[in-house]
């Protein structure tokens, strides 16, 4: 080995050791209740177990190939690290803690149901990690990426045990739109629990015009999931959001805006919120299926999607995963937030209710919301923090779980297979 080869080898090992040291750093930051970020410690442990074997592979590999692989590993880890590091910023940390809590409340019903299945491959367990981005709209990873290096990084990202949900930075200053996180968690649920194939087969067996539905399944499912998670708080904010592009969706994967609103209204109705569904339809003047590409009748298929037992969820239906929270309770909570009054009896103070209630408060009276926004936001953050549970991110979580190291080890095997294939 020449001196130059030895230098290159030493530099490669130093970089691998540096990345390993950073993993150790974040394990320490999330290690226990006394650490800065205890709610994320099983997420970091799972990521560590996924990535550390790849660093051993880099150390033992041929230098040129190992250098390329290390750069890919670094890029994947830095995406997660950057998301975690946003918790250091005091101006965004309360919002991100609330958004993580809300994402967890949206993810837990699917995880609980999936855990009831005795499967050879246990389901993904870590909830999505929320972070703020420069993008104008929320998005979820894993998602398919472009060709070339971005595609490779995207494939590696998809194999990790912790998905990412990105929210526009500006939403951290406007709490009502945080409710759209429920849609993005729906994408993560569809991916983590392998529901796309099962639901696609269901649609092909039962639905006229099934191709329309299967082509848009990911976005349809995410809208239905968001509605089940957050009720009319999600529905009215989504309606305002899609009204910004009334001429059509951003791609063929989405139903046109009026059809998205119709699907959400039908979901509200199927969940027992007929009055809220009627109010939403009236908002759009009843013109809810004005598209040549849309099926003539939506609700029967919505009912099929919501009420068919799914193997990936242990035989549960989508509708059966969520307790019925009366729309009147959500509205009363929203009204109490606007009036700075005590929350109504029976109102759980967690993010799963408070975020949709804040959204509905804004929808109901945006002018009054603006006058109380500072105190309302602080109240929501404080109440959610007081009732925060560690969930799957802690050893005292409500869902029995395998060790995060086991989930990370399975991810490491997938990552290794991808690197071998390249």
């Amino acid at each position: 080995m020449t001196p130059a080869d030895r230098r290159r080898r030493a530099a490669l090992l130093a970089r691998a050791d540096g990345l390993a040291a950073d993993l150790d750093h974040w394990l320490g930051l999330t290690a226990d209740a006394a650490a800065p970020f205890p709610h994320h410690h099983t997420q970091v442990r799972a990521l560590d177990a996924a990535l550390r074997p790849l660093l051993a592979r880099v150390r033992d590999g041929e230098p040129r190939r190992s250098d390329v692989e290390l750069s890919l590993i670094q890029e994947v880890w830095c995406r997660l690290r950057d998301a975690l590091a946003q918790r250091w910023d005091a101006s965004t940390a309360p919002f991100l803690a609330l958004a993580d809590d809300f994402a967890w409340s949206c993810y837990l019903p699917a995880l609980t149901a999936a855990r009831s299945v005795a499967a050879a491959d246990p389901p993904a367990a870590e909830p999505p990690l929320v972070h703020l981005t420069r993008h104008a709209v929320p998005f979820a990873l894993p998602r398919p990426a472009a060709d070339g290096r971005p595609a490779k990084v995207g494939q590696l990202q998809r194999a990790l045990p912790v998905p990412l949900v990105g929210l526009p930075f500006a939403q951290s200053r406007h709490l009502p739109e945080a409710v759209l996180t429920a849609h993005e968690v729906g994408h993560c649920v569809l991916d983590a629990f392998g529901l796309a194939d099962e639901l696609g087969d269901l649609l092909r067996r039962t639905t006229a015009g099934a191709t329309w539905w299967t082509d848009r399944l990911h976005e349809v499912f995410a809208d239905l999931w968001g509605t089940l998670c957050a009720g009319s708080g999600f529905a009215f904010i989504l309606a305002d959001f899609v009204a910004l592009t009334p001429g059509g969706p951003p791609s063929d994967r989405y139903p046109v805006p009026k059809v998205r609103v119709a699907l959400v209204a039908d979901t509200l109705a199927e969940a027992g919120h007929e009055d809220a569904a009627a109010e939403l339809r009236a908002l759009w003047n009843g013109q809810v299926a004005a598209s040549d590409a849309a099926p003539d009748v939506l609700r029967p298929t919505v009912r099929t999607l919501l009420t068919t037992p799914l193997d990936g969820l242990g035989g549960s239906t989508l509708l059966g995963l969520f307790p019925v929270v009366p729309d009147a309770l959500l509205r009363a909570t929203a009204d109490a937030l606007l009036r700075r009054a005590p929350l109504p009896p029976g109102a759980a103070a967690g993010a799963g209710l408070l975020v949709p209630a804040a959204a509905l408060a804004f929808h109901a009276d945006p002018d009054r919301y603006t006058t109380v926004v500072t105190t309302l936001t602080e109240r929501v953050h404080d109440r959610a923090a007081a009732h925060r549970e560690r969930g799957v991110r802690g050893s005292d979580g409500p869902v029995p779980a395998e060790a995060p190291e086991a989930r990370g080890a399975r991810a490491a095997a997938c990552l290794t297979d991808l690197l071998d294939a390249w």
Side-chain angles (χ1 to χ4, degrees):
M1 183 181 293
T2 67
D5 289 336
R6 288 196 296 272
R7 286 194 299 272
R8 282 192 288 268
R9 176 74 177 165
L12 176 67
L13 294 178
R15 293 197 299 273
D17 289 345
L19 204 156
D22 198 55
L23 289 170
D24 289 335
H25 173 67
W26 278 96
L27 286 170
L29 291 175
T30 62
D32 52 43
F37 309 114
H39 302 296
H40 300 290
H41 84 270
T42 64
Q43 290 169 312
V44 175
R45 283 165 58 194
L47 290 168
D48 176 76
L51 296 175
R52 201 170 291 266
L54 303 188
L55 297 180
R57 169 193 173 100
V58 164
R59 292 186 183 97
D60 295 337
E62 190 275 321
R64 292 180 186 276
R65 180 181 179 91
S66 290
D67 187 69
V68 172
E69 291 185 355
L70 182 60
S71 71
L72 292 170
I73 297 165
Q74 172 183 277
E75 187 167 346
V76 168
W77 164 240
C78 282
R79 288 189 183 186
L80 276 299
R81 188 193 194 283
D82 289 349
L84 288 164
Q86 290 181 355
R87 275 89 185 147
W88 281 119
D89 188 336
S91 70
T92 56
F95 172 80
L96 288 171
L98 178 72
D100 278 329
D101 288 346
F102 181 58
W104 170 235
S105 75
C106 296
Y107 193 78
L108 179 59
L111 176 60
T112 303
R115 281 268 173 77
S116 67
V117 183
D121 295 322
E126 303 302 336
L129 180 67
V130 180
H131 68 301
L132 299 171
T133 78
R134 68 183 187 279
H135 299 286
V137 297
F139 64 91
L141 289 172
R143 290 284 187 88
D147 295 333
R149 182 184 176 87
K152 291 182 178 180
V153 173
Q155 286 181 272
L156 294 172
Q157 189 83 51
R158 287 175 63 85
L160 291 178
V162 179
L164 281 172
V165 165
L167 300 181
F169 177 82
Q171 282 187 3
S172 68
R173 309 294 182 178
H174 183 53
L175 186 57
E177 289 185 353
V179 78
L180 298 176
T181 304
H183 172 100
E184 305 307 329
V185 174
H187 285 295
C188 298
V189 166
L190 192 70
D191 185 86
F193 303 108
L195 300 180
D197 289 343
E198 186 174 2
L199 289 172
D201 290 343
L202 172 66
L203 289 167
R204 284 185 284 272
R205 291 197 315 270
T206 62
T207 304
T211 299
W212 184 92
W213 290 92
T214 55
D215 286 349
R216 296 161 178 81
L217 175 59
H218 288 259
E219 298 303 331
V220 168
F221 179 89
D223 281 347
L224 268 58
W225 190 263
T227 308
L228 293 174
C229 290
S232 56
F234 173 84
F236 289 109
I237 295 299
L238 180 73
D240 287 344
F241 194 74
V242 300
L244 296 173
T245 55
S251 80
D252 292 340
R253 299 193 313 271
Y254 293 81
V256 296
K258 289 183 179 180
V259 174
R260 290 187 72 181
V261 174
L263 292 166
V264 167
D266 287 342
T267 303
L268 285 173
E270 291 294 323
H273 308 311
E274 288 281 4
D275 290 345
E279 182 182 346
L280 182 62
R281 292 189 183 104
L283 186 68
W284 284 70
N285 298 317
Q287 304 301 314
V288 295
S291 171
D292 294 338
D296 294 330
V297 180
L298 300 172
R299 188 162 176 177
T301 302
V302 171
R303 183 180 297 122
T304 296
L305 290 170
L306 295 179
T307 62
T308 300
L310 299 174
D311 292 340
L313 297 177
S316 297
T317 67
L318 296 180
L319 198 58
L321 293 179
F322 296 88
V324 177
V325 177
D327 194 64
L329 177 60
L330 181 60
R331 291 173 186 267
T333 304
D335 183 65
L337 291 175
L338 283 174
R339 294 186 296 106
R340 308 181 193 180
L343 298 183
L353 176 68
L354 291 172
V355 172
L360 195 56
F362 176 76
H363 167 76
D365 195 341
D367 294 333
R368 187 172 187 179
Y369 182 95
T370 300
T371 66
V372 301
V373 61
T374 300
T375 55
L376 184 152
T377 302
E378 290 176 353
R379 185 182 184 191
V380 168
H381 285 162
D382 291 345
R383 291 295 295 254
H387 290 77
R388 183 160 295 142
E389 295 182 355
R390 295 180 62 156
V392 78
R393 295 164 287 177
S395 59
D396 55 349
V399 182
E402 64 175 347
E405 287 77 11
R407 297 191 290 277
R410 289 198 306 277
C414 293
L415 293 165
T416 298
D417 288 343
L418 288 170
L419 292 175
D420 286 342
W422 298 331

